[in-house]
Amino acid sequence: GIQVEQSPPDLILQEGANSTLRCNFSDSVNNLQWFHQNPWGQLINLFYIPSGTKQNGRLSATTVATERYSLLYISSSQTTDSGVYFCAVLIYNQGGKLIFGQGTELSVKP
Amino acid sequence: DGGITQSPKYLFRKEGQNVTLSCEQNLNHDAMYWYRQDPGQGLRLIYYSQIVNDFQKGDIAEGYSVSREKKESFPLTVTSAQKNPTAFYLCASSRGQPVTEAFFGQGTRLTVV
């Protein structure tokens, strides 16, 4: 099956710094989602992005489907950005199943 | 407020008992999903349903059962056959056909005591 790998596994930043999280996937996919899991466990939708670039405030994402990767950029990080970031690829012919990576745990220090 | 509601937030189960986790959505979504998350890992699909009265096994269905009698509801039963039930369980929904992005509930943390 499709493998999804995220890097780095852990990241510690000083408040105000920028970061790039990477998601590689092993085969063609229909779509891709980025999530932020907060300390209470809830998954917050960040981006739904099969290809191209999207921006939402300090966050942006780029997916290059032909090269099988996606990047999540966080600029001017804040302590509230802390948590785990997941990418997940969406498989249409399996009922819209999501295959998740292992996540990147981000800690932003004040 | 539209969304996905899971209950309870925390659940304790004795070994050998079956327990049922609730998931309700008022987004008018056709498709619903159950995922399991173990510490330090990503989510894995247990079951999914694309339409009322129909559901399919996901990657780790053994020891679980579901029903889909109403569009809004997709309860998950963790049976005594599930060998390692302690985990965080998340329910999701999406519009269905055509497939669109999925949204998640707040999760249920199940602990076997």
Side-chain angles (χ1 to χ4, degrees):
Chain A
I2 295 176
Q3 306 296 314
V4 180
E5 292 184 2
Q6 291 186 243
S7 60
D10 304 283
L11 187 57
I12 300 174
L13 296 177
Q14 210 61 38
E15 200 168 25
N18 303 330
S19 62
T20 301
L21 281 57
R22 187 176 179 102
C23 173
N24 292 335
F25 40 96
S26 60
D27 205 345
S28 301
V29 298
N30 299 116
N31 217 314
L32 185 143
Q33 290 191 241
W34 281 98
F35 298 93
H36 176 212
Q37 188 167 40
N38 66 23
W40 300 271
Q42 176 141 31
L43 282 174
I44 310 297
N45 288 41
L46 297 177
F47 294 101
Y48 180 62
I49 180 168
S51 62
T53 297
K54 290 187 177 180
Q55 178 136 19
N56 185 3
R58 296 181 295 104
L59 273 59
S60 65
T62 295
T63 297
V64 184
T66 52
E67 297 188 23
R68 299 180 186 164
Y69 73 89
S70 184
L71 302 173
L72 177 69
Y73 305 97
I74 305 174
S75 64
S76 304
S77 57
Q78 300 175 358
T79 55
T80 51
D81 294 332
S82 296
V84 183
Y85 290 81
F86 287 104
C87 74
V89 298
L90 185 61
I91 310 298
Y92 287 177
N93 66 3
Q94 294 181 42
K97 164 184 176 177
L98 286 166
I99 300 174
F100 282 78
Q102 298 285 80
T104 291
E105 183 160 10
L106 175 65
S107 178
V108 181
K109 304 295 186 188
Chain B
D1 246 336
I4 301 166
T5 302
Q6 290 188 240
S7 62
K9 283 189 179 172
Y10 299 94
L11 187 56
F12 296 90
R13 188 196 93 173
K14 291 184 180 177
E15 291 213 25
Q17 284 182 339
N18 294 353
V19 290
T20 298
L21 283 57
S22 170
C23 177
E24 305 273 333
Q25 54 97 0
N26 61 3
L27 300 168
N28 199 31
H29 284 171
D30 287 314
M32 297 186 74
Y33 309 83
W34 275 105
Y35 289 87
R36 169 183 171 138
Q37 186 179 23
D38 293 288
Q41 299 194 27
L43 283 67
R44 292 179 292 164
L45 182 66
I46 304 172
Y47 266 98
Y48 66 96
S49 167
Q50 293 180 278
I51 196 168
V52 174
N53 291 323
D54 187 51
F55 48 82
Q56 308 294 330
K57 290 182 180 180
D59 299 317
I60 55 166
E62 186 174 350
Y64 300 98
S65 66
V66 293
S67 62
R68 187 88 186 274
E69 297 176 3
K70 298 187 299 182
K71 186 175 184 177
E72 304 79 22
S73 178
F74 190 40
L76 173 74
T77 296
V78 184
T79 75
S80 56
Q82 168 48 236
K83 298 207 184 321
N84 295 299
T86 295
F88 189 48
Y89 292 88
L90 289 133
C91 176
S93 71
S94 68
R95 221 184 299 151
Q97 294 298 335
V99 174
T100 60
E101 70 181 305
F103 295 88
F104 283 80
Q106 293 183 309
T108 293
R109 201 166 297 276
L110 172 63
T111 303
V112 172
V113 295

